[in-house]
Amino acid sequence: MNAQYGMAMTTCPDSEIGRKLADGLLENRLAACVQALPIHSAYRWKGAIQREPEILLLIKTKAALYPEVEAYLRAHHPYETPEIVWLPIAAGSADYLAWIGAETKTPR
């Protein structure tokens, strides 16, 4: 099965920044849906263990738009090294996947 669609993930420090990132992705038709979930992250950063509350964004889009999604996140994200991860959707509801396709722009 061709992974024509996927989900990009990023974390951000709070709901306000998450909302701004989501709105920008949606307004630019880089995503059909962005879900924001509160999480607690533990990670190593510059030699020390950090523990922080964050917002996880799950960004549903076309695989061909991933480079533009990544570029948008890099340009607008407040973190020095933001988490930007891509997960292909190997299978899903045909109606839902078609909706993602209809709600996102045609890749460049």
Side-chain angles (χ1 to χ4, degrees), residues 52-96:
E52 302 288 339
E54 292 186 295
I55 301 297
L56 172 64
L57 300 181
L58 305 176
I59 305 158
K60 279 50 130 317
T61 190
K62 294 174 183 164
L65 288 175
Y66 174 74
E68 290 182 66
V69 169
E70 181 178 338
Y72 181 89
L73 291 172
R74 287 187 180 282
H76 296 91
H77 206 290
Y79 287 170
E80 181 180 339
T81 305
E83 171 190 1
I84 306 172
V85 177
W86 176 255
L87 301 171
I89 297 174
S93 159
D95 292 343
Y96 183 75

Side-chain angles (χ1 to χ4, degrees), residues 5 62 93-104:
Y5 301 100
K62 294 174 183 164
S93 159
D95 292 343
Y96 183 75
L97 297 178
W99 172 77
I100 292 174
E103 293 301 322
T104 52

